[in-house]
Amino acid sequence: QVQLVESGGGLVQAGGSLTLSCATSGSTFSRYRIGWYRQAPGNPRELVAWISSAGIIKYVDFVKGRFTISRDNAKNTVYLQMNSLKPEDTAVYYCNAYAANMDYWGKGTLVTVSS
């Protein structure tokens, strides 16, 4: 079992920055691929980025060059640095831990970008 707690969301103006954190506990953090997903009102949940246990990173196209995912295995935490935020980035951001058919989710943190 893995427990995931997101933090760092809030209200920011367009062009601004936020850093989200995903703190984990309960299992061996380093074995999991950790991803950030988001869900805007009326839309399905979508992938933003993930980072594997080996440090391989994937970004979806709409955040490339603006968002940076990183992990600190010593702190059992994954970060999402978000720069040049746009109103369309407004969503609840969720942290996900995945390994060998085990799939865990946090409760999310709300990011609101005003124009």
Side-chain angles (χ1 to χ4, degrees):
Q1 286 266 346
V2 177
Q3 291 77 46
L4 306 165
V5 179
E6 303 94 336
S7 62
L11 174 63
V12 64
Q13 289 188 332
S17 299
L18 282 174
T19 299
L20 306 183
S21 298
C22 172
T24 73
S25 61
S27 187
T28 305
F29 171 75
S30 60
R31 73 174 61 171
Y32 290 92
R33 186 185 78 191
I34 305 295
W36 285 99
Y37 292 72
R38 70 185 188 186
Q39 188 168 19
N43 289 353
R45 192 171 297 187
E46 60 183 359
L47 174 67
V48 174
W50 55 250
I51 183 166
S52 75
S53 57
I56 298 169
I57 291 173
K58 174 182 173 62
Y59 297 103
V60 296
D61 286 346
F62 56 76
V63 302
K64 284 182 179 177
R66 299 192 298 127
F67 292 9
T68 302
I69 190 170
S70 61
R71 68 190 292 160
D72 186 336
N73 287 340
K75 294 183 178 180
N76 291 353
T77 301
V78 170
Y79 305 96
L80 185 69
Q81 172 69 42
M82 305 186 295
N83 298 325
S84 302
L85 283 162
K86 305 175 182 180
E88 51 263 44
D89 294 318
T90 294
V92 178
Y93 284 71
Y94 296 91
C95 186
N96 168 266
Y98 175 80
N101 297 321
M102 295 179 288
D103 203 12
Y104 303 98
W105 293 90
K107 294 183 178 181
T109 185
L110 176 62
V111 172
T112 303
V113 184
S114 63
S115 57

